[in-house]
Amino acid sequence: MRSEMEPLLLAWSYFRRRKFQLCADLCTQMLEKSPYDQEPDPELPVSQAAWILKARALTEMVYVDEIDVDQEGIAEMMLDENAIAQVPRPGTSLKLPGTNQTGGPSPAIRPITQAGRPITGFLRPGTQSGRPGTMEQAIRTPRTAYTARPITSSSGRFVRLGTASMLTSPDGPFINLSRLNLTKYAQKPKLAKALFEYIFHHENDVKTIHLGDVALHLGIDIMVLRNRNHIESKALDLAALSTEHSQYKDWWWKVQIGKCYYRLGMYREAEKQFKSALKQQEMVDTFLYLAKVYISLDQPVTALNLFKQGLDKFPGEVTLLCGIARIYEEMNNISSAAEYYREVLKQDNTHVEAIACIGSNHFYSDQPEIALRFYRRLLQMGVYNCQLFNNLGLCCFYAQQYDMTLTSFERALALAENEEEAADIWYNLGHVAVGIGDMNLAHQCFRLTLVNNNHHAEAYNNLAVLEMRKGHVEQARALLQTASSLAPHMYEPHFNFATVSDKIGDLQRSYVAAQKSEAAFPDHVDTQHLIKQLKQHFAML
Amino acid sequence: MAEVKSMFREVLPKQGQLSVEDITTMVLCKPKLLPLKSLTLEKLEKMQQAAQDTIRQQEMAEKEQQQITH
């Protein structure tokens, strides 16, 4: 017979090796043996240890760094009353990125997102927090920026996670929250911290489900928020009691209270807690949380100042530098962003986000050779996915290293995980085909893009241009109309439609389209010419 | 170098008009670099995928159960 290992030690070992499911299962078995698993009995330290360990394992399974999470639902975006100024001055708001005065690439070279920002080199959960102007825009998935956040949004993601974690535990939840005597736990600081993290990260998800499903069907996020409040108020209660127990001297609990307030959308209260925590103990995390609050309040300048204060205390801290760079990027100040990303790389030369952003910046400022070096660096570091190979392929092509181009794209296609990714790669391959003058191949590539992703507005536009070269005016017009209705924020389809209409003598439509193009990209010279020409025509009539 | 310079001289017409026809051409949308995904995002997506799979399995199991009982 095999000698058995002490189960708690084994569970602890599983936990350290990050085999959380095994750890949780083992703890469950141990807790089944001891009679009282709902509340750990102080007389039985082993079962108490198993209880904490299980709570921590379950938390770790769904743990996502709270600083990175920025899940904004439609409701929060559209019914946002937290922004201080409704009509902010330029350069003080994330809502109006403003035109690019700093000499970054224009939309003629660098594609833009629906929110009017140049596309970024790196996707985080909070990327594209630029708020859409209308409900219509909010509901339509912005395909072009290929956002991190599908528009069903926060509720969707958390609800589904919650459903799963509930389904996987057939005996019901591990801790029955409504039966917890929080005051008792608050007196045991170590237990309370584990319990809090469990409620905050794990249980939050589980409970959202009931109302969450209904809300999803109705398409309303607010109900989810309400329901979530219920759970978070539980977490909040515990945090409040604990901080009371520690006589308001524990900064950790203050930060946790702040996190709860933040999730509840009570930003001013969150700010107070974080500030008070900072007074007690200055921590990088707290700076980051506080900055997140300011970004939610649409006060990027305050957030920037805060980051700079943080940098005084923690010189060269990468996360703070990176935070500054992100804000500059969101405010459409690409050159400052690049400067700070460089600063990040000086401190940490394996920072993927910084490398990717600088790389894409170089690519769009007409330096594909340098971009290629940055992406090659990422490859050396072990990043291995379809996005990277796609970027490498593009850089190779524009840096005239043709031998590597097609093999990179082949690999990218092989690594593509879903149809949207494959569509984007075919789209870029289409550009390579256009570049070498193989119009048939280009045509096929753009067709394949549309097969993979029927909402790919850029591919529609480019197909239209190819059709026009063949002289198929009607088809081109139809494709352009599709493109412009799919992505009204892009100027290309509008401008092309205006050009085509102008050629066939449909001046009225041409003028309307030209004006849309001007709205999307005011500095476009050709559009201005066209409008001037059309105005002369109209004046002559 | 001096010889080469004497051989090739730029041609600048001294008389007559130089005209360039400005044709508006259609514009292609630009190639798109794909943004890399952060670890957090990848983890979120993975968890979401796993969650959806579990739900789907659960639903399939329920359907089978129903078919058996009918």
Side-chain angles (χ1 to χ4, degrees):
Chain A
M1 206 183 115
R2 206 160 52 104
S3 63
E4 287 283 316
M5 211 168 161
E6 158 71 32
L8 186 65
L9 184 67
L10 185 60
W12 181 240
S13 159
Y14 278 142
F15 182 79
R16 287 202 312 181
R17 284 181 284 154
R18 301 188 68 78
K19 296 181 177 172
F20 300 121
Q21 191 60 53
L22 288 172
C23 172
D25 291 347
L26 198 61
C27 289
T28 319
Q29 282 173 22
M30 287 165 63
L31 287 172
E32 268 167 8
K33 278 181 206 155
S34 67
Y36 204 9
D37 73 323
Q38 175 57 220
E39 284 180 48
D41 194 336
E43 302 303 314
L44 288 169
V46 174
S47 83
Q48 186 173 334
W51 190 84
I52 295 184
L53 196 56
K54 184 176 176 187
R56 284 187 59 193
L58 289 177
T59 313
E60 279 293 323
M61 268 195 267
V62 290
Y63 181 81
V64 175
D65 194 352
E66 184 64 13
I67 296 170
D68 270 353
V69 177
D70 185 19
Q71 301 278 337
E72 233 180 8
I74 298 182
E76 285 142 83
M77 273 191 246
M78 294 313 300
L79 309 175
D80 176 30
E81 285 167 350
N82 295 306
I84 292 178
Q86 290 303 317
V87 190
R89 280 176 293 145
T92 61
S93 164
L94 294 171
K95 275 187 190 167
L96 291 169
T99 44
N100 189 348
Q101 300 116 348
T102 49
S106 78
I109 299 161
R110 188 169 186 160
I112 54 167
T113 68
Q114 198 185 36
R117 298 194 169 82
I119 62 168
T120 165
F122 196 71
L123 274 187
R124 290 167 288 116
T127 310
Q128 234 207 4
S129 56
R131 324 247 161 126
T134 62
M135 200 69 180
E136 171 100 347
Q137 262 183 336
I139 290 168
R140 185 182 291 133
T141 319
R143 297 275 176 177
T144 40
Y146 196 44
T147 155
R149 170 160 27 110
I151 215 68
T152 41
S153 131
S154 55
S155 53
R157 193 169 265 163
F158 274 122
V159 166
R160 269 165 291 185
L161 292 180
T163 320
S165 51
M166 194 156 96
L167 287 178
T168 45
S169 56
D171 320 325
F174 163 51
I175 300 172
N176 193 344
L177 282 187
S178 51
R179 277 170 53 194
L180 281 186
N181 181 2
L182 292 182
T183 4
K184 214 175 110 190
Y185 283 93
Q187 282 155 14
K188 300 175 192 160
K190 281 168 194 144
L191 210 64
K193 283 182 182 176
L195 182 63
F196 174 84
E197 299 237 295
Y198 174 80
I199 300 176
F200 190 76
H201 289 288
H202 189 268
E203 206 66 14
N204 159 44
D205 305 342
V206 176
K207 283 297 164 60
T208 29
I209 165 101
H210 303 300
L211 269 182
D213 264 356
V214 179
L216 256 195
H217 287 306
L218 293 173
I220 303 169
D221 282 13
I222 301 169
M223 291 179 68
V224 184
L225 286 177
R226 284 245 172 86
N227 183 46
R228 233 204 256 158
N229 291 1
H230 175 66
I231 298 306
E232 254 129 28
S233 61
K234 206 72 179 179
L236 187 59
D237 285 347
L238 179 59
L241 286 170
S242 299
T243 187
E244 229 178 273
H245 180 70
S246 60
Q247 286 147 6
Y248 305 98
K249 274 182 190 150
D250 193 342
W251 63 270
W252 192 85
W253 280 113
K254 289 186 180 167
V255 173
Q256 306 314 313
I257 296 179
K259 274 157 76 174
C260 290
Y261 277 133
Y262 180 84
R263 272 211 199 169
L264 292 167
M266 298 157 76
Y267 298 125
R268 285 299 176 195
E269 283 80 358
E271 183 193 356
K272 262 183 222 155
Q273 294 295 336
F274 288 136
K275 273 192 174 161
S276 153
L278 272 182
K279 258 183 212 154
Q280 259 170 12
Q281 173 84 38
E282 273 163 343
M283 296 292 285
V284 179
D285 268 14
T286 320
F287 277 113
L288 293 174
Y289 284 125
L290 190 53
K292 221 177 121 178
V293 171
Y294 286 131
I295 291 170
S296 298
L297 289 170
D298 195 22
Q299 290 184 303
V301 181
T302 320
L304 281 178
N305 289 337
L306 181 75
F307 277 130
K308 282 171 189 165
Q309 267 177 40
L311 278 177
D312 288 342
K313 307 282 178 202
F314 303 95
E317 170 61 39
V318 172
T319 42
L320 296 174
L321 286 170
C322 195
I324 297 181
R326 285 174 186 173
I327 293 181
Y328 275 130
E329 194 177 31
E330 287 210 15
M331 286 168 73
N332 216 350
N333 192 343
I334 298 290
S335 49
S336 300
E339 210 172 285
Y340 274 96
Y341 277 127
R342 287 227 167 77
E343 210 55 43
V344 170
L345 280 191
K346 273 182 203 157
Q347 304 293 337
D348 172 11
N349 55 15
T350 56
H351 200 271
V352 178
E353 177 171 357
I355 298 179
C357 286
I358 296 179
S360 67
N361 207 16
H362 277 299
F363 181 82
Y364 285 118
S365 20
D366 211 14
Q367 296 171 316
E369 307 85 1
I370 301 175
L372 183 58
R373 291 175 57 164
F374 279 94
Y375 285 118
R376 216 170 51 196
R377 164 88 181 149
L378 283 178
L379 193 66
Q380 283 172 344
M381 279 165 44
V383 180
Y384 193 83
N385 54 24
C386 80
Q387 285 91 3
L388 181 63
F389 276 107
N390 170 73
N391 297 352
L392 274 174
L394 272 183
C395 289
C396 282
F397 181 70
Y398 287 101
Q400 306 187 2
Q401 304 202 0
Y402 301 121
D403 50 341
M404 280 287 289
T405 308
L406 289 181
T407 41
S408 296
F409 277 117
E410 267 170 11
R411 208 162 279 196
L413 277 174
L415 287 170
E417 273 165 8
N418 52 40
E419 290 186 334
E420 269 98 1
E421 286 175 358
D424 277 333
I425 297 163
W426 279 117
Y427 169 76
N428 288 324
L429 258 174
H431 276 283
V432 174
V434 170
I436 58 176
D438 190 342
M439 287 307 142
N440 274 330
L441 180 62
H443 203 272
Q444 282 167 343
C445 285
F446 291 132
R447 279 267 166 227
L448 275 169
T449 309
L450 293 180
V451 168
N452 280 301
N453 177 4
N454 206 10
H455 296 271
H456 208 286
E458 289 100 327
Y460 277 112
N461 175 65
N462 290 4
L463 259 185
V465 177
L466 294 185
E467 289 290 349
M468 226 10 229
R469 282 196 197 173
K470 288 184 188 166
H472 302 160
V473 181
E474 279 312 308
Q475 280 176 11
R477 273 167 63 103
L479 287 168
L480 285 174
Q481 266 172 333
T482 321
S484 54
S485 69
L486 280 174
H489 63 280
M490 294 191 322
Y491 81 96
E492 290 98 339
H494 296 307
F495 172 71
N496 288 340
F497 191 76
T499 319
V500 174
S501 302
D502 182 48
K503 263 184 198 153
I504 60 172
D506 191 347
L507 297 189
Q508 184 60 42
R509 282 206 186 128
S510 173
Y511 186 67
V512 173
Q515 286 208 309
K516 281 184 193 160
S517 164
E518 196 190 21
F521 180 17
D523 296 336
H524 191 229
V525 180
D526 281 354
T527 307
Q528 286 166 354
H529 272 302
L530 188 63
I531 290 182
K532 209 168 133 196
Q533 230 173 33
L534 285 169
K535 277 189 178 157
Q536 278 173 354
H537 273 304
F538 291 139
M540 285 200 309
L541 286 176
Chain B
M1 287 303 283
E3 284 174 36
V4 180
K5 260 184 192 168
S6 61
M7 275 168 68
F8 296 105
R9 267 202 209 128
E10 54 195 335
V11 181
L12 284 174
K14 297 261 166 36
Q15 318 168 344
Q17 288 181 332
L18 180 68
S19 63
V20 181
E21 193 183 4
D22 189 20
I23 311 165
T24 47
T25 44
M26 294 171 78
V27 276
L28 287 167
C29 284
K30 304 304 169 290
K32 267 200 307 191
L33 284 183
L34 299 183
L36 302 173
K37 284 180 189 171
S38 72
L39 279 180
T40 316
L41 187 63
E42 269 181 21
K43 183 170 180 185
L44 271 175
E45 285 185 352
K46 231 178 251 169
M47 289 200 308
Q48 195 175 349
Q49 191 62 42
Q52 270 171 334
D53 289 347
T54 348
I55 293 171
R56 202 167 295 141
Q57 277 174 8
Q58 199 97 356
E59 279 174 355
M60 295 286 273
E62 267 175 32
K63 261 185 200 165
E64 273 175 28
Q65 206 96 45
Q66 279 178 353
Q67 279 176 350
I68 292 166
T69 51
H70 279 303

